[in-house]
Amino acid sequence: MKRILVTGGLGFIGSHTVVELQNSGFEVVIIDDLSNSKIEVLDQITSISGTKPDFYQIDLRVKKDVQHFFENNTVDGIIHFAASKAVGESVNEPLKYYENNITTLVYILQEMKNRKIDNFIFSSSCTVYGQADQLPITESAPTKPAESPYGNTKQIGEEIIKESCGSYNLNAIALRYFNPIGAHESIKIGELPLGVPQNLIPFVTQTAAGIRKELSVFGDDYDTVDGTAVRDYIHVVDLAKAHIAALSRLIEKRNKTNFEFFNVGTGTGSSVLEVIQSFEKATGKPLNYKIVGRRAGDITAAYADTTIANKELNWKTEKTLDEALLSAWKWQEKQ
Ligand code: WQD
């Protein structure tokens, strides 16, 4: 049984990926520093899959602790989620983002090189494309100067991995996520935003729950179907399954080069107003919202061309936007 290290494995996407790894017969060991997650998620994962992953609370910024983990643990692959991910915060705290997202990546890669650990999956983001010139966005679209230090850490991270794979003969895949949303069907794991949600869907569900007075829609003067910005909202379980597909590709040595990257989205764009309408239809919950000015740094539209991911990963999304929004609402009701 292959043993896979999942860093950030108690987080939103990490926890859903751990469940899918266990469902696919992998043994899982999690490293998480609990800076943006809760230890209760470990028990929830266990209650879903029936198997408790090994868990280590480690701050990956502490090099000797990273080394100590690998001195005492053998792994066959690594899925690296651990990172800070709030776009707005990264503008105010760039050095926190470069330390937490880049230094930790370097320490993990150094261990992979030293111990000949070969299979690496990196959590990247469609943010590397900025506002793409053409839609849907393919993997051959050029990356653009990042709009935030957060986005920059994903671009730099991909470059570090690409160069390391070339020089040290490692094999890695970067998955460029679009907008992950929703919760596991068990409603035992989901998105746990700390404080005021920055992302749209948690703000929508907290507004529907009466925790927030109303949703502010950031701009309705974009060049889109209804003036509000368009994104590709992918169910987090579909996204989790893409990680299993990518890991299997590396383990079975089906990768064509030692560093590959794939766009992971549904292939369909939805505007903010369309999301609101879908949410109200799927849940029966009317939503209080108002149109306000644009949010700095936001792009007009982004949605994935999934042709290559579908073919090369033999993976495609199975869940609809309505299913994702309903699962997000059910998760919110449980909080
Ligand atoms: C979606 C749309 C907003 C909140 C970012 C990162 C990406 C990933 C996901 C980490 C936009 C609008 C939002 C609100 C609104 N980050 N919106 N009112 O900005 O597409 O992507 O988060 O994993 O890398 O770039 O996601 O959910 O913040 O916004 O109108 O209260 O909803 O303007 O059009 P975004 P988002």
Side-chain angles (χ1 to χ4, degrees):
M1 182 186 277
K2 299 275 184 200
R3 188 167 190 247
I4 305 300
L5 166 61
V6 180
T7 71
L10 296 184
F12 175 37
I13 305 167
S15 56
H16 287 82
T17 302
V18 168
V19 167
E20 296 308 324
L21 280 167
Q22 293 180 315
N23 290 347
S24 301
F26 290 98
E27 187 184 341
V28 176
V29 50
I30 293 171
I31 288 178
D32 201 300
D33 67 0
L34 298 177
S35 64
N36 191 26
S37 57
K38 295 179 177 172
I39 190 64
E40 289 80 7
V41 173
L42 187 62
D43 290 337
Q44 296 307 332
I45 290 170
T46 307
S47 73
I48 294 169
S49 66
T51 305
K52 184 166 189 170
D54 294 337
F55 171 70
Y56 294 84
Q57 182 176 353
I58 295 173
D59 181 342
L60 295 172
R61 296 173 300 182
V62 183
K63 186 170 186 173
K64 67 176 176 48
D65 291 351
V66 176
Q67 293 169 325
H68 185 256
F69 170 83
F70 283 96
E71 282 157 12
N72 296 285
N73 286 274
T74 303
V75 296
D76 302 293
I78 300 174
I79 304 183
H80 184 50
F81 292 104
S84 300
K85 61 158 207 164
V87 173
E89 182 192 37
S90 78
V91 174
N92 300 325
E93 293 279 358
L95 289 178
K96 169 184 175 181
Y97 275 68
Y98 290 116
E99 182 187 41
N100 196 38
N101 295 10
I102 301 294
T103 310
T104 58
L105 173 63
V106 169
Y107 291 162
I108 294 273
L109 290 171
Q110 285 173 333
E111 292 305 313
M112 289 182 66
K113 168 196 161 222
N114 298 338
R115 300 170 185 281
K116 305 260 181 291
I117 299 169
D118 201 5
N119 307 306
F120 187 70
I121 307 295
F122 180 63
S123 167
S124 189
S125 170
C126 64
T127 201
V128 303
Y129 296 113
Q131 177 54 69
D133 299 325
Q134 288 183 321
L135 293 170
I137 303 174
T138 68
E139 284 82 355
S140 55
T143 56
K144 291 197 174 171
E147 302 267 342
S148 69
Y150 161 77
N152 208 20
T153 66
K154 293 302 180 184
Q155 288 183 357
I156 296 168
E158 287 194 10
E159 286 301 312
I160 291 171
I161 295 163
K162 180 180 177 182
E163 288 159 12
S164 301
C165 287
S167 301
Y168 306 126
N169 194 27
L170 302 175
N171 289 284
I173 289 175
L175 295 181
R176 293 174 172 174
Y177 308 159
F178 281 70
N179 289 56
I181 64 168
H184 189 266
E185 61 189 8
S186 65
I187 313 299
K188 292 180 176 176
I189 53 177
E191 194 166 4
L192 284 170
L194 302 183
V196 179
Q198 297 306 303
N199 293 130
L200 177 65
I201 303 311
F203 208 107
V204 163
T205 59
Q206 289 191 11
T207 302
I211 298 169
R212 308 289 163 198
K213 189 166 74 69
E214 68 183 354
L215 169 75
S216 296
V217 175
F218 297 143
D220 67 347
D221 58 348
Y222 287 101
D223 180 16
T224 64
V225 60
D226 56 24
T228 63
V230 169
R231 297 290 186 275
D232 183 333
Y233 297 95
I234 178 172
H235 195 296
V236 65
V237 172
D238 281 332
L239 177 58
K241 290 179 176 175
H243 291 76
I244 313 316
L247 181 66
S248 302
R249 179 179 172 90
L250 292 182
I251 289 174
E252 295 160 19
K253 303 198 182 310
R254 286 185 276 115
N255 54 311
K256 293 173 179 166
T257 60
N258 56 16
F259 175 67
E260 296 178 313
F261 49 88
F262 299 103
N263 289 349
V264 182
T266 67
T268 302
S270 302
S271 74
V272 178
L273 287 179
E274 285 171 337
V275 167
I276 292 171
Q277 286 146 19
S278 296
F279 179 83
E280 292 179 328
K281 176 165 65 84
T283 64
K285 294 290 291 181
L287 199 72
N288 274 340
Y289 69 91
K290 68 172 185 262
I291 308 288
V292 299
R294 294 183 178 191
R295 178 173 66 178
D298 273 354
I299 59 169
T300 299
Y303 53 95
D305 180 314
T306 60
T307 311
I308 293 180
N310 297 152
K311 176 173 177 286
E312 297 301 328
L313 298 179
N314 188 27
W315 162 91
K316 65 180 177 59
T317 51
E318 295 161 1
K319 294 178 181 292
T320 64
L321 176 65
D322 285 4
E323 284 173 298
L325 293 170
L326 183 56
S327 68
W329 171 240
K330 287 180 175 174
W331 169 250
Q332 180 66 59
E333 283 186 309
K334 205 177 163 192
Q335 300 317 303

